[in-house]
Amino acid sequence: MLLTNLEVVPGRRVIEHLGLVQGSTVRAKHAGKDIIAGIKNVFGGELKSYTELLQESREEALQRMVAQARAINANAILNIRFSTSSIAQGAAELFAYGTAVRLEDSP
């Protein structure tokens, strides 16, 4: 599965447009990590536990989007974007979306 944030793939032609595909995950903060993050916020520095949480969330949302694209026989997802939103106090959604297509076979 070819994944890109480009609208077109140089040298490849879209032969079928299959529509929007998406994947999302909602994650909550861990109370212990929240306390450590509060301390780090005072002194500065990277909040590594949150960085890891966001990376895991992006990967999970991306894999769910790819599964949806495979289910409709896409071989590429173009114009991929990520979005986040707050769902409740201490919980956020990470959303990945793009356009599922079938590209011509590469030469």
Side-chain angles (χ1 to χ4, degrees):
M1 175 79 58
L2 182 104
L3 306 175
T4 182
N5 63 346
L6 297 173
E7 293 181 17
V8 295
V9 177
R12 304 280 297 273
R13 187 173 58 90
V14 173
I15 58 174
E16 188 175 4
H17 177 272
L18 300 169
L20 180 71
V21 287
Q22 57 84 29
S24 67
T25 185
V26 176
R27 299 284 179 110
K29 295 186 236 177
H30 181 280
K33 290 180 181 179
D34 225 14
I35 293 168
I36 293 168
I39 294 168
K40 274 269 193 178
N41 200 22
V42 171
F43 298 105
E46 181 181 7
L47 305 175
K48 290 185 183 191
S49 60
Y50 286 148
T51 300
E52 291 169 6
L53 178 67
L54 285 173
Q55 180 59 37
E56 290 168 5
S57 298
R58 274 191 297 275
E59 187 60 33
E60 185 171 10
L62 192 64
Q63 291 308 314
R64 289 176 179 179
M65 180 183 65
V66 167
Q68 190 178 61
R70 282 195 173 118
I72 58 174
N73 295 316
N75 66 358
I77 304 173
L78 307 180
N79 207 26
I80 295 173
R81 301 289 183 257
F82 292 93
S83 177
T84 60
S85 60
S86 179
I87 299 297
Q89 176 138 359
E93 175 188 39
L94 198 131
F95 185 65
Y97 59 97
T99 303
V101 298
R102 290 218 29 87
L103 296 175
E104 67 182 351
D105 292 333
S106 56

